[in-house]
Amino acid sequence: MTLPHPSLVLTAEVADALRDRRPVVALESTIISHGMPHPQNVDMAREVEQIIREGGAVPATIAVLDGRPHVGLSSNELELLGTAPDVTKASVRDLPYVIARGLHGATTVAATMRLASLAGIRVFVTGGLGGVHRGAPESFDISADLTELGRTDVAVVSAGVKSILDIGLTLERLETLSVPVLAYGTDEFPAFFSRSSGHAAPMRADSPAEVAAVMAAKWDLGIDGGVAVVNPIPEADEIPAEQIDGIIAEALTDMQAAGVHGNEATPYLLGRIVEITGGTSLVANIALVKHNARLGTRIATEYAGLVS
Ligand code: PSU
Ligand code: MN
């Protein structure tokens, strides 16, 4: 086993589990600081950690605190990330600055993947992936989450990609970056709030063991990069596509009118969708993250069994 990078601050719980090769599941923090309102963000973060523990794995929420990358956080640190006004949204390009300046950074999917990998964690659970934004042929707005999936060896469990993004173009980029995209228990690529997107999934998996086998096969061959596991939101929590599509269109129009772009785009759209739906989208968002945590825990357990 490679040792965790010396610049990382690991909790004892995470360090012990990694040393003993027990399953560890990474979690991101942009979703806490910039993806959901308080107090639901902090409640969600704590409940997701609890789900992972109940499943027999160790949760490792990742963030930069006072310039130091942390892998595993205390309950108070989760509260800080959910309430402090001065937490930078930190993707990979932001990590050097946030660290050098001693700032707090909430890590995106991309930055969380990178720090998880430096710690030796191979499974990461989140809500939604970043991707190719609608209008990207003009704006060039393509999330660094995709770049990172193309080069860092971590399996990312999400509920797919929201239709604030161009799902078809996102799938094209993932293909170019040689990222296996495994839809869990379905032939269709899921669209976060909705189980259906109208896009076929490139590949399918029906058990944690099948996912773990793909991870092992990829990395055994030295094919760098991640595996995207896309897990459809449970039917009971779904917002049907025909309902959410109009709301997303409205949020996109509002964003254009407000002149928001760059790394503010995703947080703006998430916040606006919560406002327009009167909180219904937030309930769905929290439900799907928990659902992903259950699956990610099982995948981490299978993978730990394969490699230890
Ligand atoms: N999608 C969500 N919730 C989120 C994000 C995406 O449903 O919180 C966050 C994730 O941290 C993701 C980031 O990595 O937004 C992508 O931001 P950007 O599009 O600026 O790369
Ligand atoms: Mn962007």
Side-chain angles (χ1 to χ4, degrees):
M1 179 195 124
T2 49
L3 288 171
H5 190 284
S7 296
L8 302 176
V9 180
L10 276 69
T11 56
E13 184 190 24
V14 171
D16 289 353
L18 288 171
R19 190 199 50 227
D20 301 343
R21 301 179 185 224
R22 283 182 281 118
V24 178
V25 176
L27 297 161
E28 63 152 308
S29 44
T30 293
I31 191 174
I32 305 171
S33 302
H34 305 278
M36 290 182 190
H38 187 265
Q40 289 93 339
N41 55 358
V42 178
D43 293 343
M44 178 279 305
R46 290 180 178 144
E47 286 164 20
V48 166
E49 289 203 346
Q50 186 56 29
I51 287 169
I52 292 168
R53 286 201 179 90
E54 282 165 5
V58 170
T61 305
I62 292 181
V64 179
L65 298 175
D66 296 313
R68 304 200 67 194
H70 282 60
V71 179
L73 298 175
S74 70
S75 188
N76 285 341
E77 288 166 338
L78 294 177
E79 180 72 27
L80 170 91
L81 285 167
T83 51
D86 58 342
V87 181
T88 302
K89 177 181 167 189
S91 195
V92 175
R93 67 118 192 233
D94 307 289
L95 284 177
Y97 189 82
V98 166
I99 290 169
R101 295 284 178 118
L103 304 175
H104 295 326
T107 50
T108 63
V109 168
T112 305
M113 282 183 78
R114 184 64 74 94
L115 294 174
S117 171
L118 289 172
I121 302 172
R122 295 284 164 241
V123 177
F124 161 28
V125 163
T126 186
L129 296 176
V132 180
H133 279 261
R134 294 203 208 170
E138 280 77 41
S139 69
F140 278 43
D141 191 349
I142 302 176
S143 175
D145 292 356
L146 299 185
T147 319
E148 209 54 35
L149 276 163
R151 67 178 170 213
T152 294
D153 300 1
V154 172
V156 183
V157 182
S158 74
V161 161
K162 266 191 213 67
S163 47
I164 59 174
L165 303 175
D166 187 317
I167 297 178
L169 293 186
T170 300
L171 286 167
E172 291 293 347
R173 280 302 293 153
L174 287 166
E175 180 184 358
T176 303
L177 291 163
S178 304
V179 179
V181 176
L182 296 171
Y184 196 80
T186 176
D187 293 318
E188 190 171 355
F189 186 85
F192 195 87
F193 294 122
S194 339
R195 294 173 61 85
S196 63
S197 67
H199 294 270
M203 302 164 199
R204 167 179 181 139
D206 289 285
S207 69
E210 285 179 10
V211 176
V214 172
M215 293 161 62
K218 183 173 190 191
W219 299 329
D220 176 60
L221 288 178
I223 305 174
D224 291 335
V227 173
V229 181
V230 290
N231 187 30
I233 184 171
E235 260 166 67
D237 303 304
E238 173 177 43
I239 307 179
E242 57 274 18
Q243 209 173 310
I244 199 75
D245 283 351
I247 290 162
I248 285 171
E250 188 181 337
L252 284 163
T253 306
D254 293 348
M255 181 174 84
Q256 278 205 320
V260 171
H261 62 272
N263 76 343
E264 302 277 326
T266 300
Y268 176 91
L269 290 167
L270 296 174
R272 193 71 194 103
I273 292 167
V274 173
E275 283 172 9
I276 299 171
T277 62
T280 311
S281 69
L282 184 57
V283 175
N285 196 344
I286 292 167
L288 66 83
V289 177
K290 291 181 179 175
H291 185 58
N292 294 343
R294 287 182 201 101
L295 177 60
T297 303
R298 295 171 64 205
I299 293 169
T301 304
E302 280 291 338
Y303 187 73
L306 277 188
V307 295
S308 57

